[in-house]
Amino acid sequence: MSIALKGPYRLTADGIKGAIQTSRKGVFALGHQDFDGRFRIAHVGRSDADLQIALRDLIGTSAMFKYLETPSDRASFEAHCELYHKFKPPGNHLHPDRPKGTNWTCPRCLALRNR
Ligand SMILES: [Zn+2]
């Protein structure tokens, strides 16, 4: 799976509001642009309810964000796992957890297989 994140946008109240419509679920990456203009990912996450609210809670932790709306909780979970494995973000110490009430497993590893 290759994930085309949109952005980057500024991780500010206005930046979030301008980029995302309300009540969209999805995944996001926080980070900054380096001197070459490359987006450096510090942290990846997802919201199974509302990306705007999840990102507003993270204002101040990074300068910029990228995001992708996803069509389902399962798509969000799998995209979160893909981003985690692809970028190994320094801000993510733990493997993404599955949504409560599911037994979904990571498409990339066995981390959740026996839980
Ligand atoms: Zn995994």
Side-chain angles (χ1 to χ4, degrees):
M1 194 197 315
S2 102
I3 296 165
L5 296 169
K6 291 187 231 174
Y9 305 95
R10 290 170 46 132
L11 187 57
T12 60
D14 283 347
I16 294 165
K17 215 164 120 184
I20 308 175
Q21 294 176 294
T22 49
S23 301
R24 298 302 169 98
K25 61 183 70 175
V27 292
F28 56 84
L30 307 183
H32 69 277
Q33 272 179 310
D34 69 14
F35 293 114
D36 298 323
R38 288 189 51 185
F39 188 67
R40 298 290 183 179
I41 290 177
H43 175 83
V44 297
R46 76 171 188 271
S47 173
D48 295 333
D50 191 324
L51 277 168
Q52 275 198 352
I53 291 172
L55 285 166
R56 274 204 298 263
D57 284 345
L58 293 165
I59 289 173
T61 62
S62 280
M64 317 278 285
F65 73 96
K66 290 185 170 192
Y67 79 100
L68 180 68
E69 291 169 10
T70 48
S72 68
D73 289 353
R74 179 126 198 188
S76 286
F77 168 68
E78 292 188 353
H80 193 189
C81 290
E82 291 288 338
L83 292 170
Y84 172 79
H85 284 289
K86 182 171 180 190
F87 296 106
K88 300 176 176 64
N92 293 82
H93 301 298
L94 298 174
H95 192 283
D97 216 347
R98 60 170 69 108
K100 283 193 183 75
T102 75
N103 60 358
W104 300 338
T105 54
C106 175
R108 290 276 293 264
C109 78
L110 301 176
L112 303 177
R113 191 59 54 94
N114 294 316
R115 282 209 244 146

